[in-house]
Amino acid sequence: MTRLIRFNKPYDVLPQFTDRSTEGTPRKTLSDFIDCPGVYPAGRLDRDSEGLMLLTDNGRLQAWISDPRNKMAKTYWVQVEGTPDDAALEALRKGIELKDGMTRPAKARLIDEPPGLWARTPPIRVRKSVPDSWLELTITEGRNRQVRRMTAAVGHPTLRLIRSAIGAWSLDGLAQGAWADLDPPKVPGRPKPAHVPNRKAQARRAEEKAIEAGQNRKGGKSRKPRRPS
């Protein structure tokens, strides 16, 4: 039976089960929190980001969740430097020109700090001369460090990034570092290939019609040409 779980990844945890970095500098991985053999992440979440990850033991489900062509919405709580004005929010909504191209339209709005939010270890850097604020940003693609690049492009660098939802799945009620089982969805089947017309049959019919039309113009008797055996 397919298994799907959600995990609230803490800051500074690698989004994988093993760490192949330099020996002697062990870093926390998913294996420090999840004792569920056979599951693998459906998509990534940067080491310096927090929040929702989905993991499954079903390859088809994993591909469906992580494939950017499916445009599955991902919602983030983003703590940024300063307070974005209407122009900055509208730019995020319409799309931002990044080095790898224009982003898709997004949903962006100012929010209060999410209620019940856990403390981050270590805490973010704070500059007394610069206020900070929270955004809720929903995107439908997953470029490398995309949210951070988007907020920086409108003049508000990201201080803290938490993914709160992927599609219909969210962090609701899930403590930091905890995981829980979900009911796996039915993965849509592959679309049926479009009907490809029989080019040879079409050409033969067109030829027959042309011959018949020519005979009619000459007053001859209409007769279908013999098909080659």
Side-chain angles (χ1 to χ4, degrees), residues 40-83:
Y40 298 92
R44 292 178 56 84
L45 187 63
D46 292 332
R47 178 184 175 187
D48 56 353
S49 299
E50 307 162 68
L52 183 63
M53 289 189 70
L54 298 175
L55 301 95
T56 180
D57 57 1
N58 183 296
R60 244 186 105 206
L61 178 57
Q62 181 188 40
W64 178 69
I65 292 172
S66 58
D67 191 337
R69 291 175 297 182
N70 293 328
K71 300 181 181 180
M72 187 171 289
K74 299 176 181 67
T75 299
Y76 296 84
W77 296 327
V78 196
Q79 190 175 15
V80 298
E81 281 190 358
T83 302

Side-chain angles (χ1 to χ4, degrees), residues 123-181:
I124 65 166
R125 58 182 173 83
V126 176
R127 291 195 294 172
K128 293 182 179 180
S129 60
V130 180
D132 58 76
S133 56
W134 284 88
L135 291 173
E136 183 180 77
L137 188 62
T138 301
I139 62 175
T140 56
E141 51 190 337
R143 306 185 198 183
N144 184 44
R145 301 182 74 80
Q146 179 176 340
V147 171
R148 297 177 188 277
R149 291 191 290 148
M150 289 175 70
T151 65
V154 295
H156 298 278
T158 292
L159 301 173
R160 188 178 181 186
L161 184 61
I162 302 168
R163 187 159 64 196
S164 63
I166 301 173
W169 301 290
S170 75
L171 281 178
D172 289 352
L174 190 64
Q176 184 189 38
W179 62 272
D181 278 287

Side-chain angles (χ1 to χ4, degrees), residues 11 27-29 32 35 60 76 80-81 84 101 110 115 129 154 201 208:
Y11 177 82
R27 299 177 291 181
K28 287 187 176 181
T29 67
D32 290 292
D35 56 349
R60 244 186 105 206
Y76 296 84
V80 298
E81 281 190 358
L110 287 170
S129 60
V154 295
E208 291 173 354

